[in-house]
Amino acid sequence: MDKIPILRMGDLLLVTIQVDLYDRIAEALEADLVQMINKTGAQGVLIDISAVSIIDSFMGRIIGNIATMSKVLDAETVVVGMQPAVAITLVELGLPLNGVLTALNVEKGMTLLRTKIDIKYNGSDDGNTE
Amino acid sequence: MDKIPILRMGDLLLVTIQVDLYDRIAEALEADLVQMINKTGAQGVLIDISAVSIIDSFMGRIIGNIATMSKVLDAETVVVGMQPAVAITLVELGLPLNGVLTALNVEKGMTLLRTKIDIKYNGSDDGNTE
């Protein structure tokens, strides 16, 4: 079990991180994810880190990398389920995950992505423009 | 990271198994899942085992247990993403996962669950009954 599975749900991809992201596994995840976005034309990526209770600068950087790579491939990234202690640690490490959207849980993350995708294709974020 | 996260998506729950299910972690998963079904009133449980490349009789039994527990709590269980080698092993072990629905991937599993839930509440599996 040396690979993190990427689940496809419609035009979104879901990645649940449950193991420590060491070099090889992190590299494989990045490679798999960009390939999957390319193959499926996914519009958004949800990264669930609710099982992550300890985070370090390496893992923070990997999440940032994934978000940047996805952005280049025209997909938004939302990190969901962050534990309070992890949020504190990220700020203390000086890694506030700039450019990464966050949401409290998968459902809220999905809603956020849907809204983002909607705005992108309909050109407006309110319904009043005629 | 000694817990397997359970993600809520509408009235479905998604569990992605990426680590070996040892005694304690398997027990925690069972307990968490029944609690989550009870709390959320979930109608279906999706268990993604696409990251599982080696399966033993213990893990097979745990999956069976989860399905039975969910059934008692009025939720269907679908196992998705089983690797071919795992399917062969399960049959060779004499554990064909009776009573557990399977689907090729998460999307197909969700469709299957939706159909099941639909049939349950509308009492019929075809649209011709007026």
Side-chain angles (χ1 to χ4, degrees):
Chain A
M1 306 194 192
D2 48 356
K3 260 192 163 189
I4 296 177
I6 300 167
L7 308 180
R8 183 183 179 181
M9 294 187 300
D11 54 353
L12 304 181
L13 300 178
L14 176 66
V15 181
T16 311
I17 295 175
Q18 294 174 21
V19 290
D20 281 321
L21 286 178
Y22 293 117
D23 298 19
R24 205 170 48 80
I25 207 167
E27 210 171 272
L29 176 62
E30 289 179 354
D32 286 353
L33 198 62
V34 288
Q35 209 182 341
M36 193 85 168
I37 294 173
N38 186 38
K39 204 175 72 185
T40 62
Q43 298 281 316
V45 179
L46 280 155
I47 302 177
D48 172 65
I49 57 167
S50 58
V52 175
S53 48
I54 298 163
I55 201 162
D56 56 10
S57 60
F58 178 74
M59 196 149 161
R61 198 160 58 79
I62 293 296
I63 293 173
N65 278 359
I66 287 174
T68 312
M69 288 174 187
S70 305
K71 192 86 180 175
V72 172
L73 292 167
D74 196 27
E76 289 284 343
T77 302
V78 176
V79 172
V80 301
M82 194 185 291
Q83 290 183 18
V86 170
I88 295 170
T89 309
L90 278 176
V91 173
E92 280 176 354
L93 284 172
L95 285 167
L97 294 183
N98 287 326
V100 180
L101 297 167
T102 50
L104 201 60
N105 55 42
V106 173
E107 280 202 296
K108 289 191 174 138
M110 279 179 134
T111 314
L112 179 60
L113 276 176
R114 291 263 165 256
T115 317
K116 282 269 164 194
I117 294 167
D118 230 44
I119 293 172
K120 194 161 78 181
Y121 286 100
N122 299 325
S124 166
D125 57 352
D126 68 50
N128 296 327
T129 51
E130 294 285 305
Chain B
M1 307 196 193
D2 49 357
K3 262 194 163 186
I4 295 177
I6 300 166
L7 309 180
R8 183 182 178 181
M9 293 187 299
D11 54 352
L12 305 181
L13 300 178
L14 175 65
V15 181
T16 311
I17 295 175
Q18 295 174 21
V19 291
D20 280 322
L21 286 179
Y22 293 117
D23 298 18
R24 205 170 48 80
I25 208 167
E27 210 171 273
L29 176 62
E30 288 178 354
D32 286 354
L33 197 61
V34 288
Q35 208 181 342
M36 194 86 168
I37 293 173
N38 185 38
K39 204 175 71 184
T40 63
Q43 299 280 317
V45 179
L46 280 155
I47 302 177
D48 171 66
I49 58 166
S50 57
V52 175
S53 48
I54 297 163
I55 201 162
D56 56 10
S57 60
F58 178 75
M59 196 148 161
R61 197 161 58 79
I62 293 297
I63 292 173
N65 279 359
I66 287 174
T68 313
M69 289 174 188
S70 305
K71 193 83 178 178
V72 172
L73 292 167
D74 196 29
E76 290 283 344
T77 302
V78 176
V79 172
V80 301
M82 193 184 291
Q83 291 183 19
V86 170
I88 294 169
T89 310
L90 278 176
V91 173
E92 281 178 353
L93 284 172
L95 285 166
L97 295 183
N98 287 327
V100 180
L101 298 166
T102 49
L104 200 61
N105 55 42
V106 173
E107 280 202 294
K108 288 190 174 139
M110 279 177 134
T111 313
L112 178 61
L113 276 176
R114 290 261 165 257
T115 317
K116 281 268 163 195
I117 294 167
D118 230 43
I119 293 172
K120 195 161 76 180
Y121 286 100
N122 300 324
S124 167
D125 58 350
D126 68 50
N128 296 328
T129 51
E130 296 284 307

